[in-house]
Structures are given as structure tokens and as C-alpha cells.
Amino acid sequence: MAKVKTTFFCQNCGTQYAKWQGQCNACKEWNTIVEEVVQKPDKSDWKTPSSKTNKRVSKPLRVNEIDASKEARLNSLDNEFNRVLGGGIVPGSLTLLGGEPGIGKSTLLLQISLKLPYKTLYVSGEESQKQIKMRAERINPVNDTCYILTETKTQNIFKQIESLEPDIVIIDSIQTLHSDYIESSSGSISQIKECTTELIKFAKETNTPVILIGHITKDGNIAGPKILEHMVDTVLHFEGDRNHVFRILRAQKNRFGSTHELGIYEMQGSGLREVSNPSEILISKKDEALSGNAIAATLEGVRPLMIEVQALVSTAVYGTPQRSATGFNAKRLNMLLAVLEKRAGFRLGAKDVFLNITGGINVDDPAIDLAVVAAILSSNEDEALQSDFCFAAEVGLSGEIRPVQRVEQRILEAEKLGFSTIFVSKYNKISLKDTAIKIQLISKIEDLVDLIII
Ligand code: TYD
Ligand code: MG
């Protein structure tokens, strides 16, 4: 029996201490340091089967001696998931999928497991086999290469893996696993660290990809030690507003591809549906143009996305006017209102302003500014904008219309969707010729007022 050793871990950031203290030096949180019993494993948990043992010792090689042939990736048959991963699942890689409870992490991975044409082992520590079966029936199609195991002890999981020899392993979730070599409870820092280390060892030695689901804390980070994100190859985030149907899958870290890619899904009664042309869905098709609506040509990662912005400007009933924004930074809204007041002479100081980005999407792209301003102006004048207008520019403090990146990509997307005019900054360099869409160049906010308010 190995010697029992105890260590103190901060439950917030995972920093290790030799003795207890009140405040964590690293994250400055109080009362988060907890003693955990750590028993150093005598032997490795994942025992490589003798047939697969590779006693390879790596040698230094010249860069051009290294085999650069592209590693064959496993196709998940889910275009959005493949795209975010950079073209498919890399053999031997560890992927961590984080997201708020109830957002659809288990649904997404179960759905992918059911579609995968490989032998897949879905290990759940959260739901019973029956519950998973019920979920699988909702999703369809059920195939016969997906195995479900309800187990939380890593040693038992490895035993099953050894006999089943799956091509891909999915763990739901890393916080429910526990290893016999560590005495603290599941979900504690040392357990998460140990279980992940064992899984990494397994993945790298057998070249089997492993996908982990991770819970997130209330401030949006993946629960557990920060080191977890360093240990895995890819960190994905599944996000969205639970009251809306759209979900966005984003790569936060990707050792095998870009982190600019984005996957969009729609939650339906029968699982998640891939959304391949999001712009068409996010814009509501109306017969009648309404005041206060404007369309922004934004970019999410590298994907162009046409988003509808709605504003409501009304006389404040109470003394202090209210300003509220959903899906848009409220401070930025206040700044844009101040610019409109000072540079374009609109008296908005005594008005309530409400702003909403439809579809429950959160937008960081500064190119949405111009659409926000246009929507506010339209609502203030109670005059609808032409429904085939769209906007892509940032607004500066002095009311200048600033250029945005990849403007041509935005213009082409707007053209494809049949918009007649796109408003962009005069300072953007555009080399597109003969476009069916009219490119309206503007330099100051007053130009916009003259052009859209008749
Ligand atoms: P779930 O995958 O359990 O979330 P997580 O694992 O991230 O906690 O998703 C649960 C939600 O998804 C639940 O509120 C119901 C909804 N849902 C559907 O709308 N349609 C479906 O087909 C499924 C399986 C779930
Ligand atoms: Mg779940």
C-alpha cells in the first residue's frame, strides 16, 4: 500500500498548496482551499495490452524527415462538428466539451455516437442506460455500433474498453469519474486531474480519440483545475440561450485546426439539427416592414451571419430612462446613444431604449454597431427601414463610420441572400466589381440619417 499523502487544492482554480491557508494566492478567492487525500498510484491504471505495447523511444528527427502526410481523421458525419474540429476527429486526441447544464451536451454527443460508423463506447456517469435509451429513441437513427456503459470508476471503464476495443470513447462527464488511486470524492480537483491523466495515457497509447463532457462553473469556466484545459488537445464550448432554439459550438483551443470556426445547431424535439445556412433562419421573413428593425451583416468566427437587430425607443414613463440590451453589450449601447445625441442631434436622453438581437445570439462583432444605430433611428422616427437594406460597420466616438474586417465576405453573403443595399464604411477597401448589391459607402453618422430617414 502506498503512503497516504494529503495536499491542499484551491477548488476554484486548482492551485496546489502544502498547507492550508485562507486565501488562494493565485485566484484570490477566500475559503476555497480544501485538503484532499492523494495516494500516488503504484502502477499505471491504463495497462497497455501486451499486443499493443510500443516500447518506442522517440529520437530527434530533422524537420523534413518527419512524415507530414495528413493524419486520417474520423468523419463524425456531422458537418458542423467536423468543421469546428478542423475536419474531423483526430485519432488519439482528447477533446473537452463544456457548456451550461441543460444546453444539450449529452444530446449532441449521443447523437454523434449514434451516427458514427465506428464502434463507439458512450460512458455515462450521469444517466442510467434506460434514460439514455429513451433519449436515443427521440434522436434516431439508432445504429448497432454504439455501446452504452454506465460506470464511474476509471479502472472498470478501462476493463470494458480492453474487452470491447472501441474506435472512439465518449465520457459524460469528467466530473463524475473517479479513480481508485485518489481518495477524494468525484469532481474534486485531484480526481479530475488523475482521471484525465489516465484517459490521456489511454488515448495516446492506443490512438483512440476520447471526447469528454465537462461541467462549467457559474462564471463560465470549465469546472476543475485550469490545467485540464492545458492537458487536452481541443476545448469546445457549447453555448446558447436555453430559452431559444439555437446553439453555437465554438472551439476555444484546437491543436489541430483553427479556433475561428463555428457550428450552429437548432434544438428540436428530435435532437439537434445542423443549421447550414444560419442567415436565412435568423432573419424573420415579414410581409410588412416594421419600424425598429435592421439587419446586420456580422461575422461569427469566419462565418458570415446576417442578424436582425430590434430596437424600441419610447418616452420614459419614470424619471430615469431605462436602457436594456439582450445579446448586445449594454455599455456599448449607451455609448452609441451618446454618439447619436451629440453628433446627430437626436434627443434620446429622455427616452427608454430597448435593444434585442433576435435568435438569442450574443454578438461581439463591432460591425453590428451600424445596424444598432439604424434600428434605434428607425424606432425613434417610427419609420420602417427598407427591408432589403443591411449594415456592416463600426461606429466611433466622434460619429465616424469605421471599417470592419472581411467586408467583402459580408457583402457577398448579403448579395447571396438578395439584399439590395449594404451600408459600409467609406474607409473599407473594396475591390469587388459588378455586384448585384449596391454598396453604399458612408463616412459619418449624419450620412446614415440622410439616407435612411426620408
Ligand atoms: P442535455 O443534453 O441533457 O443537456 P446537458 O447534457 O448539456 O446538460 O439536454 C437537455 C435539454 O435538451 C432538455 O432540456 C431537453 C432538450 N432536448 C430537446 O429539446 N430535444 C431532444 O431531442 C433532446 C434529446 C433534448
Ligand atoms: Mg448531460
Side-chain angles (χ1 to χ4, degrees):
M1 174 99 175
K3 196 177 139 240
V4 175
K5 196 181 146 217
T6 66
T7 318
F8 296 82
F9 287 101
C10 167
Q11 300 293 310
N12 186 46
C13 68
T15 312
Q16 202 170 334
Y17 294 93
K19 60 179 177 41
W20 188 86
Q21 59 190 61
Q23 188 187 23
C24 172
N25 295 345
C27 67
K28 308 286 176 227
E29 284 289 320
W30 288 92
N31 290 331
T32 53
I33 296 172
V34 170
E35 181 175 18
E36 288 184 15
V37 180
V38 185
Q39 219 175 75
K40 281 275 169 253
D42 298 336
K43 52 182 190 303
S44 143
D45 296 279
W46 163 249
K47 292 190 294 309
T48 319
S50 48
S51 59
K52 286 187 181 170
T53 311
N54 53 8
K55 287 238 168 63
R56 184 188 56 184
V57 179
S58 54
K59 275 192 318 207
L61 288 176
R62 288 191 192 89
V63 173
N64 47 17
E65 280 173 0
I66 300 172
D67 181 16
S69 57
K70 256 202 165 167
E71 226 176 317
R73 294 188 184 228
L74 308 182
N75 181 356
S76 68
L77 298 187
D78 181 315
N79 293 331
E80 304 291 302
F81 194 68
N82 280 349
R83 188 207 333 260
V84 174
L85 286 179
I89 306 165
V90 176
S93 66
L94 225 82
T95 306
L96 178 63
L97 172 69
E100 283 187 21
I103 206 78
K105 303 178 293 298
S106 309
T107 307
L108 177 68
L109 289 187
L110 183 65
Q111 184 173 328
I112 289 172
S113 317
L114 292 174
K115 263 201 250 172
L116 274 174
Y118 308 99
K119 202 195 266 183
T120 315
L121 179 64
Y122 184 96
V123 184
S124 179
E126 303 202 333
E127 286 155 298
S128 68
Q129 276 162 320
K130 253 210 193 102
Q131 276 176 306
I132 299 172
K133 169 76 181 168
M134 272 157 59
R135 191 193 292 252
E137 274 173 353
R138 276 176 86 173
I139 295 170
N140 254 339
V142 176
N143 68 4
D144 52 357
T145 53
C146 175
Y147 293 79
I148 308 287
L149 171 69
T150 42
E151 179 59 73
T152 53
K153 205 157 99 179
T154 52
Q155 281 76 14
N156 293 349
I157 294 173
F158 288 134
K159 230 177 265 162
Q160 298 301 331
I161 288 178
E162 238 172 280
S163 61
L164 187 68
E165 297 200 338
D167 296 318
I168 171 163
V169 177
I170 292 173
I171 308 275
D172 184 3
S173 64
I174 184 71
Q175 279 85 2
T176 57
L177 290 194
H178 70 100
S179 167
D180 267 352
Y181 296 108
I182 301 277
E183 282 206 355
S184 51
S185 58
S186 313
S188 65
I189 306 277
S190 45
Q191 276 292 4
I192 293 178
K193 223 159 144 180
E194 172 63 23
C195 296
T196 314
T197 314
E198 289 174 17
L199 287 165
I200 289 185
K201 193 154 176 270
F202 156 71
K204 303 291 169 202
E205 282 185 10
T206 59
N207 220 16
T208 312
V210 177
I211 306 180
L212 308 172
I213 289 182
H215 295 166
I216 62 171
T217 58
K218 62 178 187 300
D219 45 358
N221 295 317
I222 290 174
K226 196 77 197 150
I227 197 172
L228 185 60
E229 282 156 69
H230 293 292
M231 285 158 90
V232 300
D233 298 304
T234 307
V235 180
L236 304 179
H237 249 262
F238 204 39
E239 54 193 49
D241 186 332
R242 234 180 315 157
N243 301 323
H244 284 87
V245 291
F246 294 106
R247 304 280 184 272
I248 294 182
L249 183 67
R250 231 186 262 277
Q252 281 200 335
K253 162 184 171 180
N254 192 351
R255 287 195 182 140
F256 315 109
S258 137
T259 50
H260 289 305
E261 289 292 359
L262 181 90
I264 302 179
Y265 293 90
E266 185 183 351
M267 182 61 99
Q268 295 185 330
S270 55
L272 291 155
R273 188 180 72 84
E274 297 167 39
V275 178
S276 43
N277 50 352
S279 300
E280 286 182 9
I281 291 166
L282 292 173
I283 300 171
S284 48
K285 296 264 178 304
K286 291 178 290 285
D287 297 335
E288 200 184 334
L290 301 172
S291 71
N293 284 10
I295 313 276
T298 66
L299 275 186
E300 272 291 329
V302 289
R303 255 177 121 175
L305 205 60
M306 306 298 283
I307 290 183
E308 193 169 323
V309 181
Q310 294 184 317
L312 177 68
V313 180
S314 66
T315 312
V317 192
Y318 306 107
T320 330
Q322 294 186 57
R323 269 81 207 270
S324 104
T326 321
F328 187 73
N329 186 333
K331 282 195 184 133
R332 188 134 191 107
L333 171 64
N334 281 333
M335 183 218 106
L336 292 175
L337 291 173
V339 171
L340 270 175
E341 180 123 23
K342 176 102 181 164
R343 309 284 169 199
F346 284 89
R347 296 270 154 260
L348 296 167
K351 304 258 174 104
D352 285 341
V353 179
F354 304 97
L355 192 77
N356 180 32
I357 309 290
T358 54
I361 288 183
N362 229 325
V363 183
D364 299 328
D365 186 358
I368 199 172
D369 283 0
L370 196 60
V372 170
V373 168
I376 293 171
L377 287 177
S378 159
S379 177
N380 189 45
E381 302 292 312
D382 201 13
E383 222 173 89
L385 302 177
Q386 233 172 285
S387 63
D388 52 3
F389 278 1
C390 65
F391 306 85
E394 191 182 336
V395 176
L397 280 181
S398 49
E400 81 277 21
I401 308 295
R402 302 168 63 106
V404 289
Q405 51 151 340
R406 294 172 189 260
V407 73
E408 294 185 351
Q409 204 181 344
R410 301 172 200 257
I411 295 173
L412 292 175
E413 176 76 5
E415 182 180 24
K416 200 172 86 195
L417 293 173
F419 284 92
S420 71
T421 311
I422 182 165
F423 291 76
V424 295
S425 164
K426 200 171 110 186
Y427 307 106
N428 258 126
K429 287 200 175 52
I430 301 166
S431 50
L432 292 175
K433 291 210 173 62
D434 303 327
T435 48
I437 188 169
K438 182 175 170 211
I439 303 169
Q440 182 72 56
L441 302 174
I442 51 177
S443 60
K444 350 187 253 309
I445 213 158
E446 293 93 309
D447 299 350
L448 179 76
V449 178
D450 295 342
L451 285 166
I452 63 172
I453 307 289
I454 308 137

